[in-house]
Amino acid sequence: MPFLPAVLLLVLLGSLAAVSAQNLTESQLANVVARLADGATHPWELGTRAQAILEHDVRPFSVFSLSLPETSVPSNTSSAISPVFSIAKTVLSNRATSNKNITGPQPLVSDDSAADPASIGPAVLLANWTGRGQSDGVDYAGAAQDQFNFLYFRVPKTSDGAISHRTSELQLWSDFVYMVPPFLAYYGLLTNNQSLLEDAYTQIKLYRNYLRDTQSNNLWKHIQLGTGSGGSQVANDDGHWSTGNAWAAAGMLRVLASISTSSFSSSMSSEQDDLSSWIFEIQSGMYPHIDSSSSLFHNYADNTATFLDAASTALLASTVYRLSLLRSIHHFLPAAEQSRKALFGTNSSGDLTHFTSDGWLTPVVNPDNFGAEGTTSPEGQAFVLDLQAAWEDWVQDGSKGANGASRIRGGPSGAYLMVLFTFMGVWVMFI
Ligand SMILES: *[C@@H]1O[C@H](CO)[C@@H](O)[C@H](O)[C@H]1NC(C)=O
Ligand SMILES: *[C@@H]1O[C@H](CO)[C@@H](O)[C@H](O)[C@H]1NC(C)=O
Ligand SMILES: *[C@@H]1O[C@H](CO)[C@@H](O)[C@H](O)[C@H]1NC(C)=O
Ligand SMILES: *[C@@H]1O[C@H](CO)[C@@H](O)[C@H](O)[C@H]1NC(C)=O
Ligand SMILES: *[C@@H]1O[C@H](CO)[C@@H](O)[C@H](O)[C@H]1NC(C)=O
Ligand SMILES: *[C@@H]1O[C@H](CO)[C@@H](O)[C@H](O)[C@H]1NC(C)=O
């Protein structure tokens, strides 16, 4: 009796494809934005905050708009973009006071990390691009160039050219991929310089060679090289830190978007293919480890003894929507949707289960101590906005691939097979 299976399959398929309307309200999002503003102080938090504001509140000026930003900010956009400019301006005025010799190779902020200050670079480049230098009385282009020269000429490198994540010794962290390559790529995009876009790609390629763990389904290790002894030095971390994997995938997406927006897009198609497959590779390593009852990742993805972490869960889910939008790779959308609905879900009294009443995401890893659970995470707040923005863009674009069926890669997913079987069922019905 072929009719019943066909109907069952259709029902199954329908429920898979249904996109639930779970969504944060304006006031909940405003709380997330406010807590992010309260909490972001470290260099990487400032850069990550600037990026989240662009993605969520100033979309035409985000790299994911896939068009060059306008050189002047429309008046209806100036208040939304003002926190980004204010980060750039504050950083530059602190730089002038802390270092009187304000020319020459130097980071935007003096820091133990060689990479984190560069995360503020895109905001500084955008301030230059939109002509803020004159009114603010600072040289944004010069500061960006100094940051660039610092990375290239002052920071230790591996023999094959991977720039260190740390200033005091040569050490590679997965975090780097969100901090430096997106800056180089954005620099290349705005100055129409292909070699900088190539450099962004090459740094990622090198980092992947050092950090990818082929023994663990290509999850990235957190920290390699370095002695890890003395002063501010940090021990190696062979573990597959979830936030590190998400930083890497999300950084790659920004580079991918920069290359694809640039005038070199067609001559850099193999680089874009690589980035796209490396992002998918991380997603493929991560999602099999998601905790099935909470739809969250453990702090170390494949170590169930570690606590659950909503921050990495949010950032990695955002990369799924972005990869779907940019490359039509939909394979992990059902998993990302599950995570998003869990993160933004409410209990029976209508309260968000993964946010405190004043808007902090929970539970989260401590941003200052990556092995420990924390209470508040500014970067986690930014990841919520990245996720919300990516999801909204995906919904706006027609929620393509909601059932995970991929046009390009991923092989025949369960949902794809269901479509096939449904057609077979219907066909059998007619004979
Ligand atoms: C989700 O909610 C936000 C504000 O709360 C709104 O701006 C947005 O349009 C909503 N998106 C969808 C897809 O429902
Ligand atoms: C600002 O105005 C332009 C038209 O001048 C419009 O296209 C755009 O959507 C507006 N942006 C916002 C954020 O309202
Ligand atoms: C100041 O910067 C210039 C330009 O890079 C450099 O030549 C000079 O040595 C620096 N001076 C000091 C005191 O660091
Ligand atoms: C700064 O902005 C100007 C004008 O938009 C642009 O021509 C220049 O390339 C920018 N410089 C950098 C370093 O981005
Ligand atoms: C691109 O950037 C590199 C690194 O700063 C520089 O050496 C090169 O001259 C630039 N190329 C162009 C065409 O501006
Ligand atoms: C829902 O969550 C809120 C905030 O955490 C809590 O106060 C309330 O008791 C919860 N309600 C139920 C039915 O669990």
Side-chain angles (χ1 to χ4, degrees):
M1 180 170 184
F3 179 72
L4 189 61
V7 166
L8 279 176
L9 282 164
L10 279 168
V11 168
L12 256 172
L13 190 67
S15 61
L16 254 183
V19 179
S20 148
Q22 240 137 354
N23 189 9
L24 297 176
T25 65
E26 292 284 359
S27 80
Q28 287 164 344
L29 283 166
N31 275 345
V32 172
V33 169
R35 298 297 82 74
L36 170 57
D38 293 344
T41 54
H42 296 103
W44 84 85
E45 292 169 340
L46 297 175
T48 301
R49 177 177 173 228
Q51 179 64 21
I53 292 169
L54 292 173
E55 289 181 24
H56 186 257
D57 295 322
V58 207
R59 294 181 199 203
F61 284 80
S62 149
V63 74
F64 292 120
S65 70
L66 305 184
S67 59
L68 277 178
E70 288 181 59
T71 51
S72 71
V73 174
S75 58
N76 64 3
T77 303
S78 55
S79 90
I81 205 171
S82 72
V84 176
F85 290 150
S86 143
I87 288 170
K89 188 179 176 184
T90 307
V91 161
L92 257 67
S93 57
N94 290 341
R95 173 181 180 266
T97 36
S98 66
N99 179 3
K100 294 300 174 209
N101 187 10
I102 56 162
T103 57
Q106 62 188 294
L108 288 163
V109 183
S110 146
D111 197 63
D112 290 338
S113 169
D116 294 351
S119 71
I120 308 164
V124 170
L125 288 168
L126 192 56
N128 166 68
W129 179 259
T130 52
R132 309 278 308 177
Q134 204 141 36
S135 54
D136 292 348
V138 285
D139 181 8
Y140 288 115
Q145 188 170 4
D146 287 351
Q147 169 66 74
F148 172 85
N149 286 331
F150 177 76
L151 286 168
Y152 274 55
F153 304 117
R154 295 286 186 274
V155 176
K157 290 188 194 66
T158 61
S159 57
D160 53 0
I163 299 170
S164 177
H165 185 78
R166 304 285 291 177
T167 51
S168 63
E169 66 169 345
L170 177 57
Q171 192 171 60
L172 309 183
W173 296 37
S174 49
D175 316 42
F176 176 95
V177 178
Y178 198 79
M179 309 303 156
V180 171
F183 166 58
L184 301 180
Y186 202 55
Y187 209 134
L189 172 64
L190 295 187
T191 61
N192 200 36
N193 182 323
Q194 184 171 9
S195 80
L196 296 182
L197 290 160
E198 291 286 0
D199 287 352
Y201 163 83
T202 302
Q203 286 300 317
I204 293 169
K205 182 180 179 140
L206 291 167
Y207 262 74
R208 176 173 172 272
N209 288 343
Y210 284 99
L211 299 183
R212 181 172 65 119
D213 191 346
T214 52
Q215 307 297 306
S216 295
N217 203 14
N218 298 317
L219 288 170
W220 282 36
K221 296 176 188 172
H222 185 200
I223 301 174
Q224 295 293 289
L225 308 183
T227 60
S229 59
S232 61
Q233 298 180 355
V234 180
N236 280 2
D237 182 2
D238 289 339
H240 309 120
W241 189 43
S242 292
T243 303
N245 278 274
W247 281 133
M252 288 186 216
L253 271 155
R254 292 167 63 192
V255 172
L256 179 58
S258 300
I259 295 175
S260 135
T261 306
S262 76
S263 60
F264 311 105
S265 180
S266 55
S267 61
M268 293 182 71
S269 60
S270 71
E271 287 86 344
Q272 293 173 74
D273 290 346
D274 283 348
L275 288 168
S276 164
S277 74
W278 299 340
I279 295 159
F280 186 73
E281 177 180 84
I282 288 179
Q283 295 171 349
S284 305
M286 289 289 289
Y287 276 105
H289 295 294
I290 202 151
D291 173 62
S292 59
S293 64
S294 64
S295 299
L296 266 58
F297 289 110
H298 290 273
N299 187 43
Y300 284 79
D302 51 355
N303 183 350
T304 55
T306 61
F307 56 87
L308 294 169
D309 173 48
S312 53
T313 304
L315 185 59
L316 198 73
S318 80
T319 72
V320 173
Y321 299 101
R322 290 289 171 209
L323 192 62
S324 162
L325 283 163
L326 277 170
R327 302 285 296 193
S328 302
I329 297 172
H330 311 307
H331 190 76
F332 290 108
L333 271 168
E337 274 290 85
Q338 258 180 14
S339 287
R340 187 187 62 78
K341 288 174 191 172
L343 292 173
F344 298 167
T346 50
N347 69 12
S348 56
S349 1
D351 294 302
L352 290 169
T353 50
H354 280 294
F355 291 85
T356 64
S357 57
D358 56 349
W360 287 105
L361 182 67
T362 180
V364 288
V365 55
N366 180 345
D368 295 323
N369 182 2
F370 48 74
E373 188 168 344
T375 48
T376 59
S377 167
E379 70 198 35
Q381 301 300 103
F383 301 162
V384 169
L385 300 180
D386 297 336
L387 170 56
Q388 177 72 10
W391 172 70
E392 282 180 11
D393 285 356
W394 173 76
V395 170
Q396 184 107 39
D397 191 54
S399 305
K400 291 185 189 127
N403 59 16
S406 209
R407 185 158 63 79
I408 293 179
R409 73 170 57 240
S413 69
Y416 174 82
L417 290 176
M418 260 184 234
V419 177
L420 198 70
F421 290 148
T422 304
F423 281 124
M424 283 169 64
V426 171
W427 179 70
V428 169
M429 248 165 59
F430 281 102
I431 58 174

